[in-house]
Amino acid sequence: MSAAMRTSAAAPVSVRPLVEPDLDRADEIFRVAFGTFLRVPEPERFFGSADYVRTRWAADPHAAFAATVEGDVVGSNFAADWGSVGFFGPLTVRPDLWDQGIGRRLMEPVMACFDTWQNRHLGLFTFSHSPKHLELYRRYGFWPRFLTAIMKKQVAGGSAAPGRALFGELTDAERPDALSRSTALTGAVYEDLTLEREIVATQEQGLGDTILLEGAGSDLDGLAVCHCGPGSEAGDDVCFVKFGAVRPGPDAADRFERLLNACEQLAAEKGLGQLDAGMNLARQDAYRRMADHGFRTWLQGVTMHRPNEPGYSHPDAYVIDDWR
């Protein structure tokens, strides 16, 4: 057993910002914690080449936190600011220290972030079959709502999506306008929702690209922030749609079909064999259309919301995400 694993569980827990030298240890704990909970044969290999820890720390180091015992990192948590919406995770703790209050300690700085950012709607993704997870987050005002399906399909090339542009192919001079138009689109989906942080982080870290679907005039019809391949949240041979949305209105369903085609087209262009995307089941028609496109659920959880309101997860919303 390593020295880190011999750390006394009775020692006091401290919480501080996660810093770059912590990332390897935090990543190891993240994998082992999820793998242990899901009882996979080699928990330390869970998630493969996908990276949630380094990518989220690099996106906003001020919203990443470590729990330590006797100087050793024993857990971590991350917060994300999407304008009016804030969510957190993954929150992970070393398995031999579960059920000792470390998760609650890691919630404290995240809730302080939300207070500072003044997000109106907060959320998280967790295991729907775990009473202890639901009870932990209920203590902070979060309430479970609809299930969220993490879905995948094999890439077949897809139909070309008319009017598709990629943020990564824009010039530096063109990108501020694209970000402004993307915020106008997401703000139409849910007031003051913005994915600018995710778009910029995806570009700056080389994690993938963001699809922009041109509409009439200066409006965007849709966008999708996609992670591609190892070192991103996707992993080997996967294109992962971290967030996707289309402009609401009478033709939203048609725009959503076009967005799905554009995501599959990007995956094919990147030479990736699998397309992953999360869908909250409150978005009934969007879910049905993904199933019709060949997506199938491989992991299912529940999103918890504070306050207990739908946010942008309702039948008229055509949004892809999962808050993991």
Side-chain angles (χ1 to χ4, degrees), residues 194-250:
T194 175
L195 269 291
E196 183 172 333
R197 168 188 176 273
E198 296 295 342
I199 295 170
V200 171
T202 299
Q203 179 63 31
E204 291 183 344
Q205 295 183 53
L207 303 177
D209 214 328
T210 297
I211 294 167
L212 306 171
L213 291 185
E214 298 293 344
S218 62
D219 291 335
L220 287 179
D221 273 355
L223 67 85
V225 182
C226 299
H227 285 208
C228 300
S232 73
E233 293 179 21
D236 281 333
D237 203 33
V238 175
C239 176
F240 168 53
V241 186
K242 181 161 186 177
F243 181 91
V246 300
R247 183 163 47 85

Side-chain angles (χ1 to χ4, degrees), residues 5 11 16 24 48 56 66 77 109 111 150 158 171 185 222 235 256-257 301:
M5 295 299 287
R16 58 164 173 77
D24 286 348
R56 297 199 178 183
N77 198 6
M111 298 306 294
I150 313 302
T171 66
L185 168 63
F256 188 66
E257 297 274 357

Side-chain angles (χ1 to χ4, degrees), residues 21-237:
D22 299 328
L23 296 182
D24 286 348
R25 184 65 179 136
D27 180 77
E28 178 186 349
I29 292 169
F30 156 73
R31 296 173 190 278
V32 171
F34 273 101
T36 299
F37 183 83
L38 295 172
R39 299 181 180 180
V40 301
E42 296 180 279
E44 67 278 2
R45 297 181 180 272
F46 196 60
F47 285 103
S49 63
D51 193 328
Y52 280 70
V53 168
R54 295 173 185 83
T55 56
R56 297 199 178 183
W57 177 83
D60 190 353
H62 300 293
F65 304 97
T68 66
V69 174
E70 296 183 342
D72 293 322
V73 172
V74 298
S76 61
N77 198 6
F78 304 82
D81 180 11
W82 287 1
S84 57
V85 174
F87 71 97
F88 70 87
L91 190 167
T92 53
V93 174
R94 208 175 73 194
D96 63 311
L97 296 177
W98 284 353
D99 303 320
Q100 297 186 37
I102 297 174
R104 291 196 298 274
R105 293 294 309 276
L106 283 166
M107 285 295 299
E108 295 165 5
V110 161
M111 298 306 294
C113 281
F114 296 146
D115 288 341
T116 299
W117 297 335
Q118 297 184 319
N119 315 103
R120 292 198 308 275
H121 193 84
L122 307 178
L124 65 119
F125 175 99
T126 193
F127 299 107
S128 55
H129 64 289
S130 173
K132 77 172 184 178
H133 286 87
L134 299 183
E135 177 58 20
L136 169 62
Y137 302 130
R138 187 195 63 79
R139 295 181 182 184
Y140 294 89
F142 294 90
W143 197 258
R145 294 185 65 89
F146 280 86
L147 295 174
T148 290
I150 313 302
M151 309 179 78
K152 65 180 180 181
K153 70 161 294 184
Q154 294 306 301
V155 174
S159 303
R164 189 201 74 163
L166 296 177
F167 186 81
E169 295 178 351
L170 301 180
T171 66
D172 289 343
E174 293 170 325
R175 287 177 181 172
D177 179 64
L179 291 172
S180 177
R181 292 195 296 149
S182 74
T183 296
L185 168 63
T186 53
V189 171
Y190 187 76
E191 186 177 7
D192 296 327
L193 172 67
T194 175
L195 269 291
E196 183 172 333
R197 168 188 176 273
E198 296 295 342
I199 295 170
V200 171
T202 299
Q203 179 63 31
E204 291 183 344
Q205 295 183 53
L207 303 177
D209 214 328
T210 297
I211 294 167
L212 306 171
L213 291 185
E214 298 293 344
S218 62
D219 291 335
L220 287 179
D221 273 355
L223 67 85
V225 182
C226 299
H227 285 208
C228 300
S232 73
E233 293 179 21
D236 281 333
D237 203 33

